[in-house]
Coordinates of all heavy atoms in Angstrom, one line a residue:
S1 N 0.8 -1.2 0.0 CA 0.0 0.0 0.0 C 0.9 1.3 0.0 O 0.6 2.2 -0.7 CB -0.9 0.0 1.2 OG -1.8 -1.1 1.1
E2 N 1.9 1.2 0.8 CA 2.8 2.4 0.8 C 3.5 2.6 -0.5 O 3.5 3.8 -1.0 CB 3.9 2.2 1.9 CG 4.8 3.4 2.1 CD 5.9 3.1 3.1 OE1 5.9 2.0 3.8 OE2 6.8 4.0 3.2
M3 N 3.9 1.6 -1.2 CA 4.5 1.7 -2.5 C 3.5 2.3 -3.5 O 3.8 3.2 -4.3 CB 5.1 0.4 -3.0 CG 6.3 0.0 -2.3 SD 7.1 -1.5 -3.1 CE 6.0 -2.8 -2.5
V4 N 2.3 1.8 -3.5 CA 1.3 2.3 -4.4 C 1.0 3.8 -4.2 O 1.0 4.5 -5.2 CB -0.1 1.5 -4.2 CG1 -1.2 2.1 -5.0 CG2 0.1 0.0 -4.7
R5 N 1.0 4.2 -3.0 CA 0.7 5.6 -2.8 C 1.8 6.5 -3.2 O 1.7 7.5 -3.8 CB 0.3 5.8 -1.3 CG -1.0 5.2 -0.9 CD -1.4 5.6 0.5 NE -2.7 5.0 0.9 CZ -3.4 5.4 2.0 NH1 -2.8 6.3 2.8 NH2 -4.5 4.9 2.2
V6 N 3.0 6.2 -2.7 CA 4.2 7.0 -3.0 C 4.7 6.9 -4.4 O 5.0 8.0 -5.0 CB 5.3 6.7 -2.0 CG1 6.6 7.5 -2.3 CG2 4.9 6.9 -0.6
D7 N 4.8 5.7 -5.0 CA 5.4 5.5 -6.3 C 4.5 5.8 -7.4 O 5.0 6.1 -8.5 CB 5.9 4.1 -6.4 CG 7.0 3.7 -5.3 OD1 7.5 4.7 -4.7 OD2 7.3 2.6 -5.2
L8 N 3.2 5.8 -7.3 CA 2.3 6.0 -8.4 C 1.2 6.9 -8.2 O 0.9 7.9 -8.9 CB 1.8 4.6 -8.9 CG 1.0 4.7 -10.2 CD1 1.8 5.3 -11.3 CD2 0.5 3.3 -10.6
E9 N 0.5 6.7 -7.0 CA -0.7 7.6 -6.8 C -0.3 9.1 -6.6 O -0.9 10.0 -7.1 CB -1.5 7.1 -5.6 CG -2.8 7.9 -5.3 CD -3.6 7.4 -4.2 OE1 -3.1 6.4 -3.5 OE2 -4.6 7.9 -3.9
A10 N 0.8 9.3 -5.8 CA 1.2 10.7 -5.5 C 1.6 11.4 -6.8 O 1.2 12.5 -7.1 CB 2.3 10.7 -4.5
P11 N 2.5 10.8 -7.7 CA 2.8 11.4 -8.9 C 1.6 11.8 -9.8 O 1.5 12.8 -10.4 CB 3.7 10.4 -9.7 CG 4.3 9.7 -8.6 CD 3.3 9.5 -7.5
M12 N 0.6 10.9 -9.8 CA -0.6 11.1 -10.6 C -1.4 12.3 -10.0 O -1.9 13.2 -10.8 CB -1.5 9.9 -10.6 CG -1.0 8.7 -11.5 SD -2.2 7.4 -11.4 CE -1.5 6.3 -12.7
L13 N -1.5 12.4 -8.7 CA -2.3 13.5 -8.1 C -1.5 14.8 -8.2 O -2.1 15.8 -8.5 CB -2.5 13.1 -6.6 CG -3.5 12.0 -6.4 CD1 -3.5 11.6 -4.9 CD2 -4.9 12.3 -6.9
L14 N -0.2 14.8 -8.0 CA 0.5 16.0 -8.2 C 0.5 16.5 -9.6 O 0.3 17.7 -9.8 CB 2.0 15.8 -7.7 CG 2.2 15.7 -6.2 CD1 3.6 15.1 -5.9 CD2 2.0 17.1 -5.5
S15 N 0.6 15.7 -10.5 CA 0.6 16.1 -12.0 C -0.8 16.7 -12.3 O -0.9 17.7 -13.0 CB 0.8 14.9 -12.9 OG 2.1 14.3 -12.7
R16 N -1.8 16.1 -11.8 CA -3.2 16.6 -11.9 C -3.3 18.0 -11.4 O -3.9 18.9 -12.0 CB -4.2 15.7 -11.3 CG -5.6 16.2 -11.3 CD -6.6 15.3 -10.5 NE -7.9 15.7 -10.5 CZ -8.4 16.6 -9.7 NH1 -7.6 17.1 -8.7 NH2 -9.7 17.0 -9.8
S17 N -2.7 18.2 -10.2 CA -2.8 19.5 -9.6 C -2.0 20.6 -10.3 O -2.4 21.8 -10.3 CB -2.3 19.4 -8.1 OG -3.2 18.6 -7.4
F18 N -0.9 20.3 -10.9 CA 0.0 21.3 -11.5 C -0.2 21.4 -13.0 O 0.4 22.4 -13.6 CB 1.4 21.0 -11.1 CG 1.8 21.3 -9.7 CD1 1.7 20.3 -8.7 CD2 2.1 22.6 -9.4 CE1 2.0 20.6 -7.4 CE2 2.4 22.9 -8.0 CZ 2.4 21.9 -7.1
L19 N -0.9 20.6 -13.7 CA -0.9 20.6 -15.1 C -1.4 21.9 -15.7 O -0.8 22.4 -16.7 CB -1.7 19.4 -15.7 CG -0.9 18.2 -16.1 CD1 -1.8 17.0 -16.4 CD2 0.0 18.5 -17.3
R20 N -2.5 22.4 -15.2 CA -3.0 23.6 -15.8 C -2.0 24.8 -15.8 O -1.9 25.5 -16.7 CB -4.4 24.0 -15.2 CG -5.5 23.1 -15.5 CD -6.8 23.6 -15.0 NE -8.0 22.9 -15.5 CZ -8.5 21.8 -15.0 NH1 -8.0 21.4 -13.8 NH2 -9.5 21.2 -15.5
V21 N -1.3 24.9 -14.7 CA -0.3 25.9 -14.5 C 0.8 25.7 -15.5 O 1.4 26.6 -16.1 CB 0.1 26.1 -13.1 CG1 1.3 27.0 -13.0 CG2 -1.0 26.5 -12.2
L22 N 1.3 24.4 -15.6 CA 2.4 24.1 -16.4 C 2.0 24.3 -17.9 O 2.9 24.6 -18.7 CB 2.8 22.6 -16.2 CG 3.5 22.4 -14.8 CD1 3.7 20.9 -14.6 CD2 4.8 23.1 -14.7
R23 N 0.8 24.2 -18.3 CA 0.4 24.5 -19.6 C 0.6 26.0 -19.9 O 1.0 26.4 -20.9 CB -1.1 24.1 -19.9 CG -1.3 22.6 -20.0 CD -2.8 22.3 -20.2 NE -3.1 20.9 -20.3 CZ -4.3 20.4 -20.4 NH1 -5.4 21.2 -20.4 NH2 -4.4 19.1 -20.5
E24 N 0.2 26.8 -18.9 CA 0.4 28.3 -19.0 C 1.8 28.7 -19.2 O 2.1 29.6 -19.9 CB -0.3 29.0 -17.8 CG -1.8 28.8 -17.7 CD -2.3 29.4 -16.4 OE1 -1.5 29.9 -15.6 OE2 -3.5 29.3 -16.1
T25 N 2.7 28.0 -18.4 CA 4.1 28.3 -18.5 C 4.9 27.5 -19.5 O 6.1 27.7 -19.6 CB 4.7 28.1 -17.1 OG1 4.6 26.8 -16.7 CG2 4.0 29.0 -16.0
K26 N 4.2 26.6 -20.2 CA 4.9 25.7 -21.1 C 6.1 25.0 -20.3 O 7.2 24.9 -20.8 CB 5.4 26.4 -22.3 CG 4.3 26.8 -23.2 CD 4.8 27.4 -24.5 CE 3.6 27.6 -25.6 NZ 2.5 28.3 -25.1
G27 N 5.7 24.5 -19.2 CA 6.7 23.8 -18.3 C 6.8 22.4 -18.5 O 6.4 21.8 -19.6
S28 N 7.4 21.7 -17.5 CA 7.8 20.3 -17.7 C 7.4 19.5 -16.5 O 7.4 20.0 -15.4 CB 9.3 20.2 -17.9 OG 9.8 20.9 -19.0
I29 N 7.2 18.2 -16.7 CA 7.0 17.2 -15.7 C 8.1 16.2 -15.9 O 8.2 15.7 -17.1 CB 5.7 16.5 -15.7 CG1 4.6 17.6 -15.3 CG2 5.6 15.4 -14.7 CD1 3.2 17.0 -15.4
I30 N 8.9 15.9 -14.9 CA 9.9 14.8 -15.0 C 9.6 13.7 -14.0 O 9.5 14.0 -12.8 CB 11.3 15.3 -14.8 CG1 11.7 16.3 -15.9 CG2 12.3 14.2 -14.8 CD1 13.1 16.9 -15.8
N31 N 9.4 12.5 -14.4 CA 9.1 11.4 -13.5 C 10.3 10.5 -13.4 O 10.8 10.1 -14.5 CB 7.9 10.6 -14.1 CG 6.6 11.4 -14.0 OD1 6.3 12.1 -13.0 ND2 5.7 11.3 -15.0
I32 N 10.7 10.2 -12.2 CA 11.9 9.4 -12.0 C 11.3 7.9 -11.8 O 10.8 7.6 -10.8 CB 12.7 9.8 -10.8 CG1 13.1 11.3 -10.9 CG2 13.9 8.9 -10.7 CD1 13.9 11.6 -12.1
S33 N 11.4 7.2 -12.9 CA 10.9 5.8 -12.8 C 12.1 4.9 -12.5 O 12.9 5.2 -11.6 CB 10.3 5.4 -14.2 OG 9.8 4.1 -14.2
S34 N 12.3 3.8 -13.1 CA 13.3 2.8 -12.8 C 13.5 1.9 -14.0 O 12.6 1.6 -14.8 CB 13.0 2.0 -11.6 OG 13.8 0.9 -11.4
V35 N 14.7 1.3 -14.1 CA 15.0 0.3 -15.1 C 14.0 -0.9 -14.9 O 13.7 -1.6 -15.9 CB 16.5 -0.1 -15.1 CG1 16.8 -0.9 -13.8 CG2 16.8 -1.0 -16.3
T36 N 13.5 -1.1 -13.7 CA 12.6 -2.2 -13.4 C 11.3 -2.0 -14.2 O 10.5 -3.0 -14.3 CB 12.3 -2.3 -11.9 OG1 11.7 -1.1 -11.5 CG2 13.6 -2.6 -11.1
A37 N 11.0 -0.9 -14.7 CA 9.8 -0.7 -15.5 C 9.9 -1.4 -16.8 O 8.9 -1.6 -17.5 CB 9.6 0.8 -15.7
L38 N 11.1 -1.8 -17.3 CA 11.3 -2.3 -18.6 C 11.5 -3.8 -18.7 O 11.6 -4.3 -19.8 CB 12.6 -1.6 -19.2 CG 12.5 -0.1 -19.3 CD1 13.8 0.5 -19.8 CD2 11.4 0.4 -20.2
E39 N 11.6 -4.4 -17.5 CA 12.0 -5.8 -17.5 C 11.4 -6.5 -16.3 O 11.0 -5.9 -15.3 CB 13.5 -6.0 -17.6 CG 14.2 -5.3 -16.5 CD 15.7 -5.1 -16.7 OE1 16.1 -4.8 -17.8 OE2 16.4 -5.1 -15.7

């Protein structure tokens, strides 16, 4: 449960909260994933 919240749910919620502003500023979102995502 802790991993689900920190590793995926939190990035989704934060991105949702900041996206409209980042569109205005033509900003960026950088997600730090892992090589484990690929294999």
Side-chain angles (χ1 to χ4, degrees):
S1 296
E2 183 182 354
M3 286 189 285
V4 169
R5 290 187 178 191
V6 175
D7 297 347
L8 188 56
E9 186 178 0
M12 287 181 170
L13 292 172
L14 285 164
S15 298
R16 176 183 179 274
S17 294
F18 284 95
L19 259 172
R20 285 189 173 88
V21 172
L22 291 171
R23 285 178 182 174
E24 294 173 3
T25 61
K26 291 182 168 55
S28 301
I29 295 174
I30 296 180
N31 292 320
I32 308 300
S33 181
S34 166
V35 68
T36 60
L38 303 174
E39 55 197 35

